[in-house]
Amino acid sequence: MNPREGTAPGAAPHPVPGGRTAAWLELLRVSALCSVPGDALAGAAATGRAPNRGTLLAAGASLCLYEAGMALNDWADRDRDAVERPHRPLPSGRVSPRAALGTACALTAAGLGLAAAAGRPPLLCATALAGAVWAYDLRLKDSWAGPVAMGTARALDLCLGATATGRRAPATGALAPGAPAAGAGPRGALAPAGLLGLHTVAVTVVSRHEATGGPATAPLAALAATAAVTAAAARPAVRAVRRVPPGRVPADTGGTAPRTASRAVAAVGAACAAAYATGCARPYGHAALNPSAPLLQRATGAGVRAMIPLQAALAARTGAPWAGAAAPLLLALGRGARALSRKVSPT
């Protein structure tokens, strides 16, 4: 669920601690892990339910499948990396190809096992996700379908959180003004999944040129995609539907307090969408002006980190009070990802 990213030929690798542990941290790109849990939270918000045991299982499955993709990516690219990135763990001999492939298989099995514990629909979604990850790493990476496969993987990851969280109890009536927004069960995740997938496609297109440099059209296209995603993510989702007897307003949906809470959550979502746009726009703009390998690599890393405020915006746009409270926690993950990236490169 992370595009193939790397250091330009001749560029100095990111500093990492020495030793076997450091090699595995670099192989698995642990600094990019912070971009994963928000998929499950955004998926849960889209269902109209609060996170539960299924959401936690989905987040665990996502982490396993993400790291499986990282290990498989380096295994599949070991010959190319020997030329372009000889400092990577496999070409440098710090991790063996057999160990990397075995880790990818074990983590895939673990991810599917966690999804199975959440139920059959999450298992089916996780199986499709695993298939997209393996297809991208082994066959599609260098084809026109590569960015689409990567975007599909991210979209499926958000859907995994939605299917594992479950379905909201069916509503029985008319709109209650001021009610928190809610999705129609897992189907409510389709729109946010599409937005996250579009962002991922844009990042993947940029990442294809980060080792050698490339045309300005890639970051320019990413800028356009960022503008479209930001506009949609900042817009509140469809309001909740709840049937109430005529002439009555239930305490949990009507009145001033729910309206105020919904407005506050919407403001949080708009702020997160702005943070997402800011995080992408500057590096993409620099790369468009000078599409050199170092600037394209920097833009790719920024695009990966920008997934975190985007996830927060997608969760908050539902209006769910818990999503508004979770948004600052996700943004804190973004700060952690930035700090970790100084030690272990996410690309």
Side-chain angles (χ1 to χ4, degrees):
M1 292 171 286
N2 195 19
R4 183 186 185 277
E5 305 155 346
T7 303
H14 288 248
V16 294
R20 182 176 178 83
T21 299
W24 280 98
L25 293 177
E26 187 180 355
L27 174 74
L28 298 175
R29 296 171 178 83
V30 292
S31 61
L33 273 180
C34 296
S35 71
V36 179
D39 290 348
L41 290 177
T47 69
R49 299 189 62 182
N52 52 29
R53 173 179 174 272
T55 313
L56 291 176
L57 289 170
S62 298
L63 290 168
C64 289
L65 294 174
Y66 187 92
E67 292 291 53
M70 294 299 98
L72 184 64
N73 177 80
D74 274 28
W75 179 83
D77 287 351
R78 60 193 185 280
D79 293 334
R80 177 187 302 179
D81 286 344
V83 176
E84 295 183 353
R85 304 187 295 170
H87 63 275
R88 292 293 301 166
L90 267 64
S92 66
R94 291 177 291 153
V95 176
S96 71
R98 181 177 180 180
L101 180 60
T103 298
C105 294
L107 286 171
T108 299
L112 294 177
L114 288 170
R120 183 177 179 183
L123 175 59
L124 294 175
C125 190
T127 301
L129 170 57
V133 170
W134 279 71
Y136 173 83
D137 282 335
L138 297 182
R139 302 289 283 181
L140 302 179
K141 185 182 305 178
D142 296 322
S143 72
W144 64 267
V148 176
M150 189 54 58
T152 300
R154 270 288 180 176
L156 285 170
D157 198 40
L158 191 149
C159 291
L160 174 59
T163 56
T165 300
R167 182 177 296 277
R168 181 182 175 89
T172 57
L175 285 172
R187 287 181 297 176
L190 294 179
L195 294 175
L196 186 61
L198 176 59
H199 168 74
T200 306
V201 169
V203 178
T204 307
V205 170
V206 173
S207 76
R208 287 186 151 192
H209 307 286
E210 65 176 359
T212 59
T217 52
L220 284 174
L223 273 173
T226 298
V229 171
T230 301
R235 187 181 305 123
V238 177
R239 306 294 258 177
V241 176
R242 178 168 298 195
R243 201 171 282 285
V244 296
R248 293 183 57 189
V249 178
D252 63 335
T253 59
T256 303
R259 278 197 199 91
T260 303
S262 182
R263 290 191 186 117
V265 175
V268 170
C272 291
Y276 158 72
T278 302
C280 289
R282 187 172 181 179
Y284 285 165
H286 287 170
L289 292 173
N290 178 15
S292 62
L295 289 182
L296 286 169
Q297 183 190 4
R298 187 177 303 172
T300 301
V304 172
R305 290 189 296 270
M307 288 182 185
I308 298 173
L310 176 57
Q311 293 158 345
L314 293 175
R317 74 190 287 270
T318 65
W322 71 263
L329 298 178
L330 287 174
L331 295 180
L333 278 179
R335 291 191 292 271
R338 182 176 293 276
L340 278 174
S341 66
R342 299 189 185 102
K343 298 293 183 180
V344 181
S345 173
T347 66

